[in-house]
Amino acid sequence: MKIGKIELKHGLFLAPMAGVSDAAFRRVCKKYGAEMVCTEMISSRALCYNDRKTKELAVIADDERPCALQIFGNDPEIMAKAAVLALEFAPDAIDINMGCPAPKIAGNGDGSALMKKPGLAYEIVKRVKEALGGKNVPLTVKIRSGWDEKSKNAPEIASLCEKAGADAITIHGRTKDQMYSPPADLDIIREVKKSVSVPVIANGNIYDAKSALEMFGYTNCDGIMIGRAALGNPYVFKEIACALDGKDYKKPPRHVVVADIKEHITALVELKGEFVGVREARKHVAWYLKGMPGAPVFRNQVNAATSLKEIKTIIDKAFN
Ligand SMILES: Cc1cc2nc3c(=O)[nH]c(=O)nc-3n(C[C@H](O)[C@H](O)[C@H](O)COP(=O)(O)O)c2cc1C
């Protein structure tokens, strides 16, 4: 599939995940076959205020490209200004968040709340596209199936976004009310695919090769986006790529997993400093440990650890 000039062999995307998909995690997913990644969602207003912490979220390293930069907001002018400011970080695409259900986002009229206002959603995409005019940076939009069960309007929103200039649509097949738990609605993803001619990236509950193949087969989507299944398992991209290539997939041996975890959390500490990095590493290590014998004990030890060195020693013991 292609988004602008970006060509992807299989169309495998890592989902943007606030508090999780930072550069350190994006890099490990990339290593195992995520073909395109995305920053965590970034406030358009905060970007316009030149907020230092917000700008840190926008930094993209060369070895993780192509990487989209995702912005959220509800004011077309501020979104357009933020998209232009974001170009300082040379994103490979700009993505607009129309899916976040969190009360502090949707309650403000941002994220998934835009699904309730098709006119405003159209205006935002149109203004951002105009502002990016001539910059050769593709514009993508990430939507949900709708706000609630009674208003599943993803095909309409997707079509409006295309009309306003979007170069691809990602559809998370759940309503805002459904948050993250019920199975994704593959029928509405299929409808979205039929309603636009730009590439469609399907998202929701893809956790292995089987669910990935089912998503491609049933919806005719051009790409798939994986979020939670990659937590502690960046290998899921390789598993899916192997299935798409008709090749056998073998889980990585333990020593490779240990090396990957250490590389991941070292990068996290380099990115955020030891204090914050160690605290953020705890949840990632817990995800890597999931299902392992003795995982609860090692998880408690990691949660009490205060240095990178201590966590690495615990990982060695856990995977011994
Ligand atoms: C912890 C967490 C943070 C998320 N943050 C974002 C975000 O910043 N932007 C966004 O568009 N979606 C965000 N999402 C939604 C995911 O991108 C994805 O749409 C959702 O998790 C469904 O995919 P999955 O079933 O593969 O996890 C987040 C999801 C999780 C679990």
Side-chain angles (χ1 to χ4, degrees):
M1 68 169 287
K2 259 180 113 176
I3 299 178
K5 285 189 180 151
I6 305 166
E7 270 204 73
L8 307 173
K9 183 178 179 204
H10 296 303
L12 302 183
F13 292 76
L14 171 67
M17 286 181 281
V20 178
S21 63
D22 50 37
F25 184 59
R26 297 197 294 263
R27 205 172 287 132
V28 67
C29 290
K30 197 94 208 210
K31 179 172 171 186
Y32 285 98
E35 293 175 278
M36 186 154 177
V37 297
C38 185
T39 65
E40 303 166 63
M41 61 179 172
I42 292 173
S43 159
S44 55
R45 279 180 200 279
L47 210 50
C48 290
Y49 293 145
N50 203 20
D51 178 64
R52 186 180 56 83
K53 282 236 169 292
T54 301
K55 288 178 87 174
E56 281 171 13
L57 294 176
V59 175
I60 297 169
D62 278 340
D63 60 358
E64 48 164 322
R65 293 180 183 280
C67 179
L69 187 153
Q70 188 187 64
I71 53 173
F72 71 90
N74 64 41
D75 182 315
E77 293 314 313
I78 292 175
M79 288 289 275
K81 194 172 166 208
V84 172
L85 289 171
L87 296 178
E88 176 192 335
F89 303 95
D92 298 281
I94 296 283
D95 186 61
I96 296 179
N97 181 324
M98 292 196 193
C100 184
K104 68 174 186 205
I105 304 290
N108 254 348
D110 302 336
S112 59
L114 293 172
M115 300 287 302
K116 287 196 292 188
K117 295 188 172 172
L120 180 58
Y122 174 83
E123 203 51 40
I124 288 173
V125 178
K126 188 162 163 280
R127 282 295 298 119
V128 171
K129 184 72 180 181
E130 281 165 4
L132 291 174
K135 297 285 195 300
N136 234 342
V137 179
L139 176 61
T140 59
V141 186
K142 184 163 177 279
I143 65 175
R144 279 192 173 240
S145 54
W147 176 259
D148 59 18
E149 201 51 38
K150 287 183 296 202
S151 59
K152 289 169 88 170
N153 59 350
E156 176 201 349
I157 298 282
S159 172
L160 283 171
C161 289
E162 177 179 36
K163 215 163 116 197
D167 297 292
I169 305 289
T170 303
I171 158 87
H172 175 192
R174 295 187 180 94
T175 63
K176 173 258 162 197
D177 274 4
Q178 291 176 316
M179 303 290 280
Y180 297 102
S181 36
D185 178 349
L186 271 56
D187 286 306
I188 197 138
I189 297 177
R190 189 149 90 158
E191 287 310 306
V192 166
K193 173 63 189 164
K194 283 185 194 153
S195 67
V196 295
S197 54
V198 291
V200 170
I201 300 140
N203 169 238
N205 257 19
I206 301 166
Y207 45 86
D208 58 7
K210 186 170 173 281
S211 48
L213 293 180
E214 188 188 337
M215 184 64 94
F216 274 116
Y218 190 80
T219 67
N220 197 27
C221 63
D222 303 278
I224 55 172
M225 179 176 275
I226 294 151
R228 287 163 298 170
L231 304 177
N233 183 26
Y235 314 106
V236 68
F237 294 100
K238 189 167 178 197
E239 180 191 345
I240 295 169
C242 283
L244 292 168
D245 287 334
K247 289 186 185 153
D248 285 339
Y249 166 75
K250 270 206 210 90
K251 281 188 177 170
R254 279 180 174 215
H255 72 273
V256 171
V257 176
V258 168
D260 287 334
I261 303 174
K262 287 182 182 174
E263 197 179 315
H264 177 176
I265 62 174
T266 302
L268 197 51
V269 165
E270 276 166 11
L271 193 67
K272 307 194 176 184
E274 181 122 9
F275 187 84
V276 176
V278 160
R279 273 139 196 90
E280 293 200 4
R282 291 172 181 166
K283 65 182 175 228
H284 285 280
V285 175
W287 286 321
Y288 284 109
L289 286 169
K290 213 168 150 198
M292 298 230 347
V297 174
F298 292 120
R299 202 169 49 232
N300 287 341
Q301 290 178 6
V302 168
N303 285 341
T306 53
S307 74
L308 179 62
K309 198 164 164 246
E310 264 177 275
I311 299 189
K312 286 184 176 174
T313 307
I314 299 163
I315 292 166
D316 281 331
K317 274 194 285 170
F319 285 84
N320 191 359

